[in-house]
Amino acid sequence: MAKQFVKGNEAIVKGAILAGCRAYYGYPITPASEIAHAAAQYMPLVGGTFLQAESEIAAINMVYGAAGTGLRAMTASSSPGFSLKQEGMSYLAGAELPCVVVNIMRGGPGLGNIAPEQSDYNMTVKGGGHGNYKNIVLAPNSAQEMCDLTILAFDLADKYRNPAVLLADGFIGQMMEPVDFPEPVTEFAEKTWAVRGVDQDRRNLISSIELDPDDLERHNQKLQRKYEIISNNETRYEEYQLEDAEYVVVGYGIVSRMIHTAVDQLREEGVKVGMLRPVTLMPYPTIRLKELAEMDQIKAFSVIELSNGQMVDDVRLAVNGKKPVEFFGRMGGNVPSIKELVHEIKRMMRVV
Amino acid sequence: MSVKILSKSEAFYDTYERRPGSNKDQTHYCPGCGHGILHKLIAEALVDFGVTKNSIVVGPVGCSVFTHYYFNAGNFQSAHGRAPAVATGVKRSLPESIVLSYQGDGDLAAIGGNEILHAANRGEAITVFFVNNAIYGMTGGQMAPTTLIGQKTTTTPYGRTLENEGYPIGMSEIISQLASPVYVERVMLADTRSINAARKAVRKGIENQVEKKGFSFIEVLSTCPTGWKMTAPQAEEWIKTTMLESFPLGVYKDIADQVEPLILHKDTVPSRRVPKFLGLNQEGEGFDISQMKIAEDVDQEIKIAGFGGQGVLSLGVWLSEIGMREDLKVSWIPSYGPEMRGGTANCHVKLSRTDIGSPLVTHSNILIAMNRPSLEKFEADVVEGGVIIWDNSLIDIEPTRKDIRNMPIPATQIAKDLGTTRISNVVILGVLAGITDFLDPDVVQRVLPIIFKKKQLLSINLKAFQKGLELGRELAN
């Protein structure tokens, strides 16, 4: 297909529909609203459902209903709205329902602002709602990946019967880039557990309630095993200029694009620096970071986020004290310039 | 005279295997509780209408959290108060199924007030059973929004008061005021006669869905001897003597006979035809890069700024659309959000032969300033030797920098002379094509018809581009 120049937010919807998603329930919020706009435009054309719900809470529960029927279903929001969805996401995780939820992060806490932040890392990657659960979390850094990772999110959600979150920031949602859209997905896993209103599904039950402590513990253990399998099979990351690197800069989403440029500039100055960019945040590339930390060549790590330092905890856990791990973050919707990044990376690497 | 044989409805399981413990024959409800009676009325109606096999029951949180122990249907257990939203998702996905949402008073009228109100207002084609027993049974007898004035509960130990909690909420009264619901009735389970009346209402609610008539709401005043601290007969009596004063029975709304059946079916589009509906061009556009006259090295960082409405964001998009067809890497990012509405807008555009890292332009090599604030704000960020194109028909100052290429263009005036000021951005596009080496004018003129949505304005736009191109070429020499 010819490339199309689209907004990241629109690429999500086109990717979702190509992935066979036929149900979108959502509530408008800047900077995620274009996702709802595009879903409202395209879902009816392909025989799907678009419904603007009365709240984020209702929207995620509509997704619960639609996903329970076996349909590929999604919702999207931005930080404050994503907070509201946490109750429903806990139920989806507990009932092991596949769905895709998009969070185009903005500045917080509270109403904050509409500028890009990465301050929902903990809420998204560590669970967010009540209970021992995890979301699969994918972090796109381009409009192309907004499409590709949405499709992957639906596949992983179905494969593991687990909610999958596309975690992006306001910039990735708002920016436009050429996207090479793939052919539509035509083969889907059979969902024998779904409730489809037919005789053979009458014994099926979509539920997260387990009254007996032993039953609930077994259910939780099963979920933990599932997360382990996901970690073993689905970890994805991108490496840039790491072959001979002495310093590793870690960042995801829009920040990884900036680090990319900063690494190029630092390399021109002769600084041996490279980037590790997690594409999946759950599962996290812990093993790769551990390997890097054990390499003599690597002297230190630095983590850059648009937050108070949330992902840095996961890097520190992986590196486990073997090498220094420094952090630089901006908040409030501010984004560092490349000059600032170069300076900060140098500072962190003790090069200056 | 026919003989009626009383037996368990086929819409119930033979034995309640999902129920923990050894007693698989009886419900988990307290003696004298109304839930079991309502379950029975529903199960019988499902069988009578022949819809047992394609029924789906969405259960709530509360005493009836375990509807899935009993109904031999598809079953959903939902979060507290959210059953109507879950039922919405189910019914929209399976319009041919019969979807029942079953909720108690705390679930429906308190924590789920928003979900029921909007499901009703949308006229979701579902049937809602609302069990009103004026108390929270499962959590230990706390006040419900339907608790009566003076009624003692564990959270109103001195009795509910008007001053502190207000009046009990009348959900049938509220729901019946909405335009969409087709049927709203309040019934009670207090004696044989009232149970018979309730049976009719339950049947009507399900029949409406079978006939695709829309949203039906049946409120059922029901006993809670345990929560009320009464015997079963006392509880039945209390409904009749006390609850009825606050919750009068009756049909609050019934327009089922007056409405046409809803068309709920959706035609699904086969996968292979989906790209067409998404506006994706599977054929390709036939641009031949080898024929294009553009530079070997392209590394442009452009900032375009002006008032909202001057088309500065569009100009950035066009540059990118053209660049994409020239096989360049491109990115565009706006200053987004409400701060740009009616005020100044700007966007960052990058075009390059190599992969684009950060899409943000902090130091532009081309600044296009369409109003004075933009020139003032961004002039300092232009790299040494960079270009500043500014609309001198609108801006009454000059750039102060001497280390840049100063290009005043009366774009708005030129556009006005051509017929409309709205095409000043196309004039600038022409100028850019004239002074730079990354926009092949032939490609631009082939791309414009693809990207301009209003085809009747194409010829004037092409004229504006030509005018700008000539001006740009003059300036370049």
Side-chain angles (χ1 to χ4, degrees), chain A residues 159-205:
Chain A
K159 185 174 176 186
Y160 296 103
R161 287 191 61 182
N162 204 73
V165 179
L166 201 72
L167 186 68
D169 53 79
F171 272 142
I172 301 292
Q174 293 296 319
M175 70 189 281
M176 292 180 86
E177 286 182 316
V179 175
D180 198 352
F181 286 98
E183 293 296 325
V185 175
T186 50
E187 294 199 5
F188 302 97
E190 208 195 337
K191 297 179 179 176
T192 52
W193 48 265
V195 172
R196 279 168 291 209
V198 293
D199 197 16
Q200 75 210 54
D201 294 343
R202 278 160 85 191
R203 295 299 304 201
N204 287 351
L205 167 66

Side-chain angles (χ1 to χ4, degrees), chain A residues 260-312:
Chain A
H260 192 283
T261 304
V263 165
D264 286 346
Q265 289 193 13
L266 285 161
R267 283 273 168 179
E268 277 173 30
E269 294 178 29
V271 184
K272 287 188 172 175
V273 59
M275 172 176 72
L276 182 99
R277 170 209 161 209
V279 175
T280 54
L281 299 176
M282 192 339 259
Y284 198 73
T286 306
I287 292 171
R288 183 57 186 150
L289 278 164
K290 205 180 269 179
E291 284 169 6
L292 291 169
E294 281 163 2
M295 286 164 63
D296 293 338
Q297 161 199 330
I298 305 288
K299 291 181 179 162
F301 292 80
S302 88
V303 180
I304 298 168
E305 297 176 61
L306 303 182
S307 80
N308 60 341
Q310 301 191 12
M311 183 182 75
V312 67

